[in-house]
Amino acid sequence: MTAQGAPDLPIPGPRRAWWLREALAAESPSLLAPSLFGEEVADVAIVGGGYTGMWTAYLLGEMAPDARIVLLEADICGGGPSGRNGGFLHGWWENLPYLAKRFGPEQGLRIAEAADEVVEGIGAWCTKHGVDAKFTPHGYLRVNAFANEPNDWAGSIASLERLGAPGQLVHLDRDGVQAICGSPAFREGVMMPSAATIQPALLARGLRRVLLERGVSIHEGTAVGRLDPVPTGVRLTTARGSVSASHAVLAVNAWAAGWPGFRTRMLAWGSYMVVTEPIPDRLAELGWTGGEAISDSRFTISYFRTTHDGRIAFGAGVGNAGYDGRIGPVFTHDRRAIERVVANFRHLFPMLADVRFDDAWGGPIDITADRFPVIGSQHGGRVLYAHGFAGNGVGPAWVAGRLLATRLAGRRDPIAAPLFGRGQRILPPEPFRYLGARAIREALIRLDDDLDAGRRPGLLTRLVARVPSLLGYRFRH
Ligand SMILES: Cc1cc2nc3c(=O)[nH]c(=O)nc-3n(C[C@H](O)[C@H](O)[C@H](O)COP(=O)(O)OP(=O)(O)OC[C@H]3O[C@@H](n4cnc5c(N)ncnc54)[C@H](O)[C@@H]3O)c2cc1C
């Protein structure tokens, strides 16, 4: 305990995140898939063992059972954000207006519907394969927790109705919100009924198990250092071996920010989480027993959900930007980010001031100029890629995986096809990107603090926070 009587904060660091430790403990025994030694030949070589890489492998195996698939993962499958995220599982309803603008109202709606089907699809997949990822289809509530700042929920609901998706966002007044979770900080909100939560690492590790059973050749502890086009396809080079394949898939999420071709197209940003000790009785006092996922409407969004053993897992996008595509300790060891996350927790749940945190961790989020994933190909179609999920990849990684798998199987995904190879704006070069992101982060935090306290933010803060929009970047829904 500290002098003030508040519990000590856990220190984020190299330890596996709490979700992944739980998932690994449930594996018996948990064996590392062997590192790559020597030469291997495949039809498709996938770089990255997160959801995107593993859904691509799984769905390609469904479409082309004879395809020889190799998956190379620098760490262990699920060791990245796929095994340490918040577990909010939803599609793109809040992106529907943007999808409609980019692809037309009809196609936009079809893409959003397809992304929404993923939620039930993942639940059904878990049942089919005996993967107990604690799938909980009880919706996602967004609440306004600012003292005086109104939200334009009515506008969001009306635009979804206009675009053909009535009922996908449902307004809840303060009483409706309080009936779900009784924090005095919560005002009115909006519910996305079709969303769910999962235990993220159990899903990632379950996917890995199914892939191994299906004969996918997985090499963990195997970082790909080079990827070169060759006349027969591509050659991937690792520390102690290489893979020759007709096609490669880059499914490296925020790490893509360091790959040639993507450096100026993506910003990596830190998101951090804590998990409390088990507090089922306190959750019952709050009335939060329905398993709903919740987030607030801060600029540096706080997101929180309960766990199957009665804890709160609570995160916020309060980390820092990375410099020049490097994915280093800023995304995993940032103690000040954890202090921020905990301050947000205390603000939203003042009645839980005495509750202990059992773990803290962070990871990188991959942000593109329009906060929407980019899926496409390089080197004449020999290298396919998907990244840019902007902290919403649990469901959308399936959409990306399916799109990549259909291309690799020589088919066409009629619904998501327009997402493939879409144009993308570049971000400012370094050091301007890093310096700009830092200044904007500070302004957003100040803005949130002011709005939390019911103060009017200063002119400079408001101006800096608006810079991304003024430059034409999309940084909110
Ligand atoms: C703290 C946090 C909370 C989040 N919460 C949510 C949430 O609640 N809901 C949601 O939808 N999304 C959330 N996200 C985002 C979500 O986790 C990601 O969008 C999703 O996991 C992306 O999956 P992926 O497979 O593309 O990437 P990853 O899971 O990052 O997988 C990429 C893999 O590539 C590997 N790799 C990188 N470079 C190489 C290389 N050279 N060679 C071999 N392997 C390499 C990495 O080790 C990593 O395992 C959160 C993210 C974070 C960090």
Side-chain angles (χ1 to χ4, degrees):
M1 301 279 270
T2 61
Q4 290 78 34
D8 292 332
L9 299 189
I11 298 171
R15 206 156 77 120
R16 298 272 180 220
W18 182 79
W19 299 121
L20 188 52
R21 293 207 306 280
E22 183 182 61
L24 291 174
E27 291 176 14
S28 54
S30 176
L31 296 176
L32 194 70
S35 297
L36 179 69
F37 278 94
E39 306 273 316
E40 210 162 300
V41 176
D43 296 310
V44 177
I46 296 174
V47 188
Y51 301 137
T52 304
M54 291 196 284
W55 283 127
T56 305
Y58 175 82
L59 296 164
L60 177 60
E62 293 277 285
M63 294 175 209
D66 295 334
R68 291 166 302 168
I69 305 170
V70 173
L71 190 149
L72 307 169
E73 164 55 51
D75 183 10
I76 61 170
C77 292
S82 293
R84 64 173 91 163
N85 61 72
F88 285 44
L89 168 55
H90 56 93
W92 285 325
W93 286 125
E94 287 187 300
N95 280 298
L96 179 58
Y98 182 67
L99 286 168
K101 197 167 126 199
R102 276 296 300 246
F103 305 110
E106 217 169 283
Q107 188 70 41
L109 179 61
R110 291 178 70 204
I111 292 173
E113 283 170 346
D116 194 54
E117 282 164 15
V118 165
V119 177
E120 275 188 13
I122 288 181
W125 182 90
C126 287
T127 306
K128 178 175 171 190
H129 294 286
V131 172
D132 181 10
K134 314 293 178 200
F135 178 73
T136 308
H138 295 170
Y140 169 21
L141 171 68
R142 298 201 63 193
V143 296
N144 182 355
F146 287 140
N148 300 321
E149 187 75 1
N151 264 107
D152 187 18
W153 301 129
S156 307
I157 291 169
S159 76
L160 256 63
E161 278 172 5
R162 201 174 50 247
L163 290 165
Q168 298 300 351
L169 286 182
V170 180
H171 183 260
L172 293 182
D173 61 13
R174 189 170 192 280
D175 288 348
V177 167
Q178 293 292 319
I180 289 173
C181 181
S183 159
F186 297 167
R187 297 168 61 202
E188 91 279 32
V190 68
M191 178 61 115
M192 197 186 296
S194 63
T197 59
I198 44 121
Q199 203 282 34
L202 286 171
L203 176 62
R205 298 298 295 180
L207 255 165
R208 172 188 182 271
R209 182 205 12 107
V210 172
L211 293 182
L212 286 170
E213 285 167 4
R214 293 190 159 203
V216 172
S217 171
I218 297 182
H219 296 287
E220 294 175 311
T222 303
V224 174
R226 287 185 64 99
L227 197 163
D228 298 299
V230 293
T232 50
V234 275
R235 185 178 165 82
L236 298 88
T237 311
T238 70
R240 287 180 290 257
S242 66
V243 178
S244 300
S246 312
H247 291 88
V249 173
L250 264 182
V252 294
N253 189 19
W255 284 264
W259 279 78
F262 305 121
R263 271 205 155 81
T264 54
R265 294 177 186 272
M266 207 211 296
L267 174 73
W269 190 281
S271 195
Y272 276 82
M273 294 195 75
V274 291
V275 66
T276 67
E277 62 186 316
I279 47 165
D281 298 344
R282 311 291 288 276
L283 293 178
E285 282 165 25
L286 283 165
W288 191 14
T289 51
E292 299 86 354
I294 309 180
S295 73
D296 68 7
S297 51
R298 276 195 179 85
F299 291 89
T300 55
I301 184 171
S302 286
Y303 49 94
F304 31 102
R305 40 81 54 96
T306 52
T307 66
H308 60 97
D309 59 349
R311 302 163 188 264
I312 297 177
F314 187 105
V318 291
N320 269 296
Y323 183 76
D324 201 21
R326 279 171 227 152
I327 305 298
V330 72
F331 298 110
T332 43
H333 289 59
D334 188 344
R335 292 169 78 153
R336 290 196 57 204
I338 286 299
E339 285 168 15
R340 263 270 141 203
V341 172
V342 169
N344 290 0
F345 177 92
R346 304 260 184 252
H347 173 73
L348 295 179
F349 294 106
M351 72 298 279
L352 301 180
D354 58 316
V355 165
R356 206 184 63 230
F357 297 99
D358 275 355
D359 201 7
W361 65 91
I365 297 279
D366 43 346
I367 299 179
T368 58
D370 66 354
R371 287 191 78 96
F372 206 72
V374 289
I375 307 168
S377 65
Q378 293 177 316
H379 302 300
R382 279 174 283 183
V383 178
L384 282 74
Y385 58 83
H387 49 248
F389 296 102
N392 174 21
V394 176
W398 168 310
V399 179
R402 190 175 56 200
L403 187 47
L404 297 180
T406 45
R407 305 283 301 198
L408 290 163
R411 303 187 196 170
R412 195 167 180 278
D413 179 335
I415 295 171
L419 294 179
F420 195 89
R422 70 192 184 87
Q424 195 199 351
R425 279 197 63 186
I426 59 166
L427 296 164
E430 296 294 13
F432 304 106
R433 185 173 13 158
Y434 175 75
L435 294 173
R438 265 198 94 100
I440 290 160
R441 171 191 186 265
E442 297 309 318
L444 293 178
I445 287 178
R446 229 172 303 129
L447 197 68
D448 283 339
D449 284 350
D450 286 344
L451 294 175
D452 274 346
R455 288 189 299 263
R456 183 170 160 71
L459 182 65
L460 185 64
T461 302
R462 280 183 284 139
L463 262 180
V464 177
R466 283 198 62 209
V467 165
S469 320
L470 293 173
L471 293 176
Y473 299 117
R474 177 171 173 262
F475 90 124
R476 297 200 96 188
H477 293 305

